[in-house]
Amino acid sequence: MNFYEDPRFCRLDQRKQKILIEIAEKSSRYSMEELLPQILQINQELNRRNMNFTKEESALLMDIIEESLSPAEKQKFNMVKGFLS
C-alpha cells in the first residue's frame, strides 16, 4: 500500500500527514506492542494541541499500521481494533 497516494492522506492537514509518516516509519521497525504506547503518546500530544483524527483519518492510520505487521501481529492488531471501534 502506498498511502502517500491514498486520497484520505492527500486531504490531510500537513501536520497530520507528518504524524502519519512518522507512525508509518516506526511501524516498520517496531512490533505492535512497542508501537501502541507510542501511538497513545501521539494521541495525547494531539489532544494538547486541540487536534484529533476523524474516523476516516483513524481508519487510514490503522491501515498504515496493519500493512507493516506480520500475519500473527495482524491477528492481534485486529483484536485490538475491535475494541477501539
Side-chain angles (χ1 to χ4, degrees):
M1 172 177 142
N2 186 355
F3 69 90
Y4 296 105
E5 296 174 6
D6 189 305
R8 298 173 295 177
F9 181 79
C10 296
R11 288 190 297 264
L12 287 175
D13 175 274
Q14 286 184 345
R15 295 172 293 179
K16 290 182 178 181
Q17 285 180 345
K18 287 175 73 173
I19 291 167
L20 288 183
I21 290 168
E22 179 183 335
I23 292 171
E25 289 171 355
K26 288 181 178 182
S27 69
S28 66
R29 296 189 308 259
Y30 297 114
S31 71
M32 185 186 70
E33 288 83 7
E34 295 168 320
L35 189 60
L36 287 176
Q38 293 180 22
I39 292 171
L40 293 174
Q41 183 179 8
I42 289 169
N43 189 46
Q44 290 173 345
E45 181 62 29
L46 286 172
N47 287 334
R48 280 193 287 273
R49 295 179 186 199
N50 292 323
M51 294 175 63
N52 59 359
F53 284 114
T54 65
K55 285 187 178 192
E56 183 179 71
E57 294 165 349
S58 295
L60 175 60
L61 172 61
M62 297 296 175
D63 291 346
I64 290 169
I65 292 170
E66 189 172 0
E67 182 69 23
S68 67
L69 298 175
S70 70
E73 286 184 320
K74 280 183 184 182
Q75 188 175 15
K76 291 180 197 174
F77 185 71
N78 285 323
M79 287 175 44
V80 171
K81 261 184 11 181
F83 290 114
L84 298 176
S85 47

